[in-house]
Amino acid sequence: MPSVIIDKDRCKGCELCVYACPEDVLAMSDEINAKGYFVPIVAHPENCTGCRYCLLVCPDVAIQVENKGKVTKPPESLTGKPFSYCPGCTHGVIHRLIAEVMDELGIQERTVGIAPVGCSVLAYEFFACDMQEASHGRAMAVATGIKRGRPDLTVFTYQGDGDLASIGMAETVHAANRGEKITVIFVNNAIYGMTGGQMAPTTLPGQVASTCPTGRDVTLTGYPIRVVELLKSLRTPAYLARVTVTDPKNVLAAKKAIRKAFKYQLEGTCFSLVEVLSTCPIGWGETPHDACGWLQENMVPYYPLGEVKVPEEATVQAGS
Amino acid sequence: MAKKLMKGCEAIGEAAIHAGCRLFFGYPITPQNEIPEYMSARLPQVGGTFVQAESEVAASNMLYGAAGAGCRVFTSSSSPGISLMQEGLSYIAAAELPVVVVNIMRGGPGLGGILPSQSDYFQATKGGGHGDYRLLVLAPSTVQEAADLVIDAFDLADEYRNPVMILGDGLIGQMMEPVEFKKEIKPEDLPEKPWATTGRAGRQQNIINSLYLDPEQLEAHNWDLHRKYQRMAKEVRYEAFNTDGGCDVLIVAYGTVARITKTAIDMAREKGLKIGLFRPITLYPYPTEALVQTAEGAKSVLVSELSTGQMVEDVRAAIAGRRPVGFYGRVGGMVMGPDELVEQAEKLVAVHV
Ligand SMILES: Cc1ncc(C[n+]2csc(CCOP(=O)(O)OP(=O)(O)O)c2C)c(N)n1
Ligand code: SF4
Ligand code: SF4
Ligand SMILES: [Mg+2]
């Protein structure tokens, strides 16, 4: 019978696993871990089918699943250091997916990752490959420097929406337009998480943030920028996709896109950028689960999911 | 190797290639466009890469990435562009990355003008961007010296893991002189940089970073950097010219103004006035001790710059009242003639008889 193993020390009690389990195997308990979080327990082990949905949504790599004598393991491309993110923040899920892809492609020893300025500023402590910490918005310029100097290395950036689409927009557009052979993971949470929830270029119309306390007024601040659609207008071939990680199905789709984004780099094909719609439960003032619902209800309609540009199509376009 | 007649900017570019540098990131700005233009043509011939960045902000951060990945890398710009590079330079200094930056100064502030200037002395020698840090600053006064200093700059940058700036002006960049390159380094012969992010195969993870959230760690880092800057003091370079046996007036000048001073020395000699020249070649570290010693043999000191008075502050601090220190500056792209320097020296002598 499959079973779920919860690493109580890593758990932040976000409850996302409890909601994700289609068989009601998990339930929250009264038990408090060393960090002060209520942890879930395996309430109905007999119901477990080994679907791994709980593992897929856990933002803190706190769940492993045993099935037919085989136990899942945390990705080797993560250092194992506990993430610094708030409970239920999906930054952690995205980290895990990138690390899994690095493991599967066997590229950890030739990869350089670039951490941004934002909540993921400490990403260099979490990814187990070589890392560089960039200044705010310049991750793609830093990546360009590395990739042009050492084309044999695999280079990825991990950037928030303030970082990539506001202060770093020039670097973004030009790295894409030059067709830098790099992989960009763009974490869009519609807010400046790190500095306390200010308006981002991606904040939705009417959305309240600490610098638009009555809601974003598009007559004064313009409309949220759809980054992948904007980059699509460039003639240079690229792989551009938008995904989210609010639920197991979407987590799997996100991983597929991230994997493609690395493969295109490994094949020397093109610039790749995967926009991941991500939650900021703290900044939005929602529980982690409700934040996932809010994202689906409000962000997905404005930021449609899917592949927006694939290099093959772009090559055809370029000939026209 | 035979001497070749070259423009200053081109000699700077070729010197970088002789130093084993195969990477250039930059953005056009007058009066140094010949450097990126030269690199865009030359680098592909030697298997190197030239990237015209979208801005100097981006260029400075491309330098950070490339230097962090262990590559010899260089950029050039002029004053307004160097201001934009301060972000990258601060992070580069903090992360202790070796890069070489050429500033062919033009008149400022703001858009200023495109003619020669030395008004970025403060910015170059006192840090420039935010935080406690220093660049190693080298000021050539001939095309040959520019070529020599560029080659040395790469070695110094590697040795101290610190950004090195070549501080020139439009005249040095544009003038043509015969040059030879003192050595040629092949990139493959350069020593390994075990700290660089080159892929972690066979070793622990390397991280290039400037974030220290723990104040104790940041303080330790700041003092580490400070001690490194103190160690750099042994790199001081200067030229003392016509100072043996003392002089009436010691002119302290660098770069183009030092060249003009040499002409002024000849003109003054005919008038029976002995002018000596003290020319700092390293502006940071500043050759303070040598200046003090040289000034002991002078009756008075005259600092001359293409600014309203920047280096003069370091000279006054060094001389500390032991000699009268006068100042003569021209700005805005105006350059003093040697006759003006003689006149200023005569005035100084008349006042301090
Ligand atoms: C030059 C500069 N300006 C401003 C800041 C302050 N700052 C730090 S993070 C941040 C916003 C980050 O938001 P985002 O990129 O969306 O990342 P998130 O925290 O939401 O993941 C800002 C403005 C900075 N560190 N540097
Ligand atoms: S998803 Fe992970 S962190 Fe959240 S409650 Fe479950 S085990 Fe804990
Ligand atoms: S502030 Fe928001 S984005 Fe940042 S860690 Fe917390 S939940 Fe995540
Ligand atoms: Mg954000």
Side-chain angles (χ1 to χ4, degrees):
Chain A
M1 199 177 61
S3 66
V4 176
I5 307 151
I6 299 173
D7 182 342
K8 289 180 184 168
D9 293 336
R10 288 190 69 99
C11 175
K12 290 183 188 150
C14 72
E15 306 189 19
L16 287 177
C17 54
V18 176
Y19 283 103
C21 178
E23 307 292 340
D24 290 333
V25 172
L26 304 171
M28 291 311 287
S29 73
D30 295 337
E31 190 185 334
I32 294 178
N33 71 7
K35 291 183 197 147
Y37 297 116
F38 289 108
V39 293
I41 49 161
V42 185
H44 298 286
E46 67 285 2
N47 289 353
C48 183
T49 61
C51 71
R52 302 187 186 179
Y53 279 13
C54 52
L55 180 157
L56 290 175
V57 300
C58 175
D60 284 283
V61 203
I63 294 185
Q64 301 304 330
V65 177
E66 197 218 299
N67 199 358
K68 298 187 184 114
K70 275 173 89 179
V71 193
T72 55
K73 277 197 261 143
E76 286 181 7
S77 293
L78 289 177
T79 57
K81 197 173 166 156
F83 295 148
S84 47
Y85 305 107
C86 305
C89 169
T90 46
H91 263 303
V93 177
I94 304 164
H95 277 31
R96 196 190 68 237
L97 296 182
I98 295 168
E100 285 177 6
V101 168
M102 266 199 268
D103 282 5
E104 287 164 21
L105 296 173
I107 55 173
Q108 194 208 111
E109 296 197 332
R110 55 178 275 196
T111 297
V112 183
I114 296 143
V117 176
C119 281
S120 45
V121 67
L122 294 175
Y124 59 82
E125 294 193 350
F126 308 135
F127 291 109
C129 55
D130 275 0
M131 294 292 293
Q132 293 198 14
E133 212 307 296
S135 56
H136 195 21
R138 318 294 175 221
M140 284 187 228
V142 172
T144 299
I146 301 171
K147 190 71 182 182
R148 294 297 187 112
R150 292 288 310 264
D152 54 315
L153 297 174
T154 306
V155 184
F156 77 91
T157 71
Y158 186 101
Q159 299 176 260
D161 42 345
D163 192 85
L164 179 143
S166 186
I167 194 166
M169 190 53 123
E171 284 74 12
T172 301
V173 171
H174 287 279
N177 195 49
R178 285 191 304 268
E180 295 298 340
K181 310 293 184 291
I182 58 172
T183 301
V184 176
I185 309 300
F186 168 37
V187 182
N188 178 0
N189 56 12
I191 207 157
Y192 282 18
M194 180 178 219
T195 38
Q198 295 84 1
M199 189 185 76
T202 45
T203 297
L204 293 174
Q207 185 186 334
V208 171
S210 66
T211 49
C212 51
T214 55
R216 180 173 187 163
D217 178 354
V218 295
T219 64
L220 296 173
T221 61
Y223 283 84
I225 299 176
R226 294 184 177 111
V227 170
V228 284
E229 284 81 358
L230 188 114
L231 295 180
K232 184 188 177 185
S233 72
L234 302 173
R235 188 165 170 176
T236 310
Y239 175 67
L240 304 169
R242 188 183 286 117
V243 296
T244 186
V245 288
T246 48
D247 54 275
K249 228 179 85 198
N250 275 304
V251 170
L252 291 172
K255 180 167 170 187
K256 229 168 141 179
I258 292 171
R259 197 184 159 89
K260 268 193 175 181
F262 274 96
K263 283 205 75 166
Y264 280 125
Q265 177 177 177
L266 291 173
E267 290 159 6
T269 312
C270 62
F271 172 87
S272 313
L273 182 147
V274 178
E275 174 172 341
V276 189
L277 304 182
S278 186
T279 63
C280 177
I282 290 293
W284 300 352
E286 305 271 358
T287 65
H289 176 68
D290 289 348
C292 291
W294 188 90
L295 187 156
Q296 282 291 347
E297 231 166 83
N298 298 284
M299 287 183 77
V300 172
Y302 190 89
Y303 298 114
L305 303 178
E307 288 183 341
V308 171
K309 186 172 179 175
V310 291
E312 294 77 14
E313 276 171 26
T315 317
V316 176
Q317 268 179 16
S320 63
Chain B
M1 210 184 105
K3 288 200 179 196
K4 201 176 153 193
L5 198 63
M6 286 184 106
K7 227 181 185 183
C9 280
E10 291 172 359
I12 285 170
E14 189 57 37
I17 288 168
H18 276 73
C21 172
R22 293 293 180 271
L23 266 181
F24 182 96
F25 302 97
Y27 188 85
I29 183 169
T30 308
Q32 60 80 55
N33 288 320
E34 292 84 349
I35 301 178
E37 284 165 3
Y38 187 85
M39 297 313 270
S40 71
R42 272 294 276 145
L43 278 170
Q45 294 170 359
V46 291
T49 301
F50 166 88
V51 177
Q52 182 166 320
E54 57 272 36
S55 69
E56 292 87 350
V57 176
S60 67
N61 286 285
M62 290 173 184
L63 249 64
Y64 177 98
C71 305
R72 278 205 161 173
V73 60
F74 128 92
T75 190
S76 67
S77 188
S78 178
S79 311
I82 297 290
S83 289
L84 278 193
M85 287 186 184
Q86 295 306 329
E87 176 189 89
L89 288 174
S90 170
Y91 282 70
I92 285 165
E96 299 194 76
L97 300 177
V99 305
V100 175
V101 180
V102 175
N103 180 4
I104 303 294
M105 291 178 281
R106 58 187 250 182
L111 207 45
I114 58 168
L115 295 175
S117 160
Q118 295 179 326
S119 50
D120 302 346
Y121 177 92
F122 283 152
Q123 186 195 51
T125 60
K126 312 295 177 197
H130 63 285
D132 250 339
Y133 75 90
R134 300 299 173 126
L135 312 176
L136 213 149
V137 185
L138 305 167
S141 80
T142 64
V143 174
Q144 179 63 57
E145 192 177 35
D148 291 345
L149 290 180
V150 166
I151 294 176
D152 292 348
F154 282 97
D155 290 338
L156 288 167
D158 278 351
E159 184 177 343
Y160 290 99
R161 284 187 60 180
N162 205 67
V164 178
M165 178 173 278
I166 303 285
L167 196 65
D169 58 59
L171 284 170
I172 305 271
Q174 298 304 319
M175 81 174 72
M176 280 186 98
E177 280 180 349
V179 213
E180 65 183 328
F181 297 96
K182 60 179 180 183
K183 57 179 170 179
E184 177 154 18
I185 304 165
K186 292 207 165 59
E188 55 272 24
D189 295 337
L190 288 167
E192 287 278 313
K193 293 172 179 168
W195 47 264
T197 58
T198 52
R200 59 169 289 184
R203 58 158 169 78
Q204 289 295 300
Q205 172 193 35
N206 280 343
I207 297 171
I208 302 296
N209 180 34
S210 67
L211 179 67
Y212 294 80
L213 285 172
D214 174 354
E216 283 182 22
Q217 279 184 23
L218 181 54
E219 183 175 50
H221 176 57
N222 273 294
W223 288 119
D224 278 348
L225 290 177
H226 179 75
R227 280 187 288 274
K228 177 171 83 173
Y229 305 142
Q230 287 181 322
R231 280 202 305 283
M232 287 184 338
K234 74 173 191 316
E235 302 301 336
V236 286
R237 298 183 193 190
Y238 60 91
E239 179 193 1
F241 181 78
N242 204 37
T243 56
D244 285 350
C247 55
D248 299 310
V249 177
L250 181 68
I251 295 188
V252 186
Y254 68 95
T256 288
V257 184
R259 286 174 77 108
I260 299 166
T261 304
K262 288 192 177 172
T263 312
I265 286 171
D266 292 338
M267 289 169 69
R269 191 176 293 123
E270 284 164 23
K271 295 184 163 192
L273 178 72
K274 186 173 178 194
I275 294 180
L277 166 68
F278 185 84
R279 179 173 76 91
I281 298 170
T282 52
L283 298 180
Y284 188 89
Y286 200 78
T288 304
E289 264 176 51
L291 170 63
V292 169
Q293 274 173 22
T294 313
E296 270 168 20
K299 296 193 186 99
S300 55
V301 174
L302 174 68
V303 180
S304 185
E305 299 174 70
L306 298 176
S307 82
T308 53
Q310 298 193 17
M311 181 177 73
V312 66
E313 292 192 4
D314 288 335
V315 175
R316 288 208 168 108
I319 301 295
R322 284 174 289 228
R323 293 287 179 284
V325 178
F327 174 75
Y328 185 67
R330 295 297 302 267
V331 283
M334 299 300 293
V335 179
M336 67 284 286
D339 52 324
E340 290 169 65
L341 291 180
V342 176
E343 193 188 318
Q344 292 299 318
E346 283 173 327
K347 271 192 197 162
L348 205 60
V349 171
V351 175
H352 299 285
V353 272

